[in-house]
Amino acid sequence: MPSIYQLKPAFQNLLRPGVERLYARGVTANQVTLAAALVSVLLGALLAACSHITWLFALIPLWMLLRMALNAVDGMLAREFGQQSKLGAYLNELCDVIADSALYLPFALLAGVSPLLVILVVLLAVISEYAGVLGPMVGASRRYDGPMGKSDRAFCFGVLGAGVATGLLPALWINLLLGLILALLLYTLYNRVRRGLAEAV
């Protein structure tokens, strides 16, 4: 299925000169991973505490874009500069799930938005990433199949954040979009399991 993740190679090419400078200055992949997760948790806490100040949700699309860049940067530092490690593999998966949850959950506190839908989206996002990680356990690769992978979710919640901040998305529309994201997450889970099993044969 189509996914924003497929744009990753072109995105990495744009970032490569900056990554080389970071490496020259001694920045490590694990430092970038942890920094991105920490900022995500702090931003999520800010939005949860101040959910009534809707313009703050404009920070979501801005941070999502920067975080996608940082996620690409940590992977490039690890692969291209010999910084791959078992600890890094754990951090990469765990920090992504923690950061996503921290950034998505504040939407449940918005007036008129269904907390159940938000929680189900967060739960299915975690489960779909778990299904992707299980690929190597059955003899397949780590599965990144869409249509609602990490990059796709970042884009969707960036749009939701912008809609909340500008007042262009009423609660009913947000609930409808969350329902659509939920359906696409179910399909993503199905795709990752199906394609993982097919690859492992």
Side-chain angles (χ1 to χ4, degrees):
M1 291 296 296
S3 171
I4 292 174
Y5 183 79
Q6 293 166 345
L7 300 175
K8 189 174 181 179
F11 192 41
Q12 288 176 330
N13 289 335
L14 292 174
L15 296 172
R16 187 160 282 107
V19 173
E20 291 172 354
R21 287 193 291 272
L22 288 174
Y23 174 71
R25 294 178 182 178
V27 176
T28 69
N30 288 352
Q31 288 171 346
V32 174
T33 303
L34 288 170
L38 178 60
V39 174
S40 296
V41 170
L42 291 175
L43 177 55
L46 172 66
L47 293 174
C50 305
S51 59
H52 58 288
I53 308 176
T54 53
W55 67 263
L56 284 174
F57 281 79
L59 297 173
I60 290 280
L62 297 175
W63 174 241
M64 286 297 194
L65 183 60
L66 181 56
R67 183 174 159 237
M68 286 173 67
L70 292 174
N71 282 348
V73 166
D74 68 7
M76 293 169 70
L77 282 170
R79 288 188 305 274
E80 299 178 14
F81 295 95
Q83 295 183 4
Q84 288 180 313
S85 67
K86 293 178 180 178
L87 174 60
Y90 272 104
L91 290 177
N92 189 55
E93 297 294 346
L94 292 173
C95 286
D96 272 345
V97 170
I98 291 169
D100 282 350
S101 300
L103 293 169
Y104 302 165
L105 285 172
F107 285 86
L109 301 175
L110 292 169
V113 173
S114 168
L116 178 61
L117 278 175
V118 176
I119 291 169
L120 286 175
V121 164
V122 170
L123 182 61
L124 268 177
V126 172
I127 294 172
S128 67
E129 291 309 312
Y130 187 61
V133 172
L134 283 175
M137 186 177 293
V138 298
S141 60
R142 200 306 190 181
R143 302 305 309 176
Y144 293 100
D145 308 278
M148 193 50 66
K150 286 186 290 187
S151 300
D152 307 292
R153 294 195 304 272
F155 174 78
C156 289
F157 275 88
V159 170
L160 289 176
V164 170
T166 59
L168 295 176
L169 278 180
L172 175 61
W173 281 56
I174 294 173
N175 287 331
L176 290 173
L177 290 170
L178 286 171
L180 177 60
I181 292 170
L182 191 62
L184 292 174
L185 276 169
L186 284 169
Y187 192 37
T188 298
L189 177 60
Y190 167 75
N191 273 338
R192 291 185 176 186
V193 173
R194 178 175 61 86
R195 295 190 176 188
L197 291 173
E199 184 185 355
V201 173

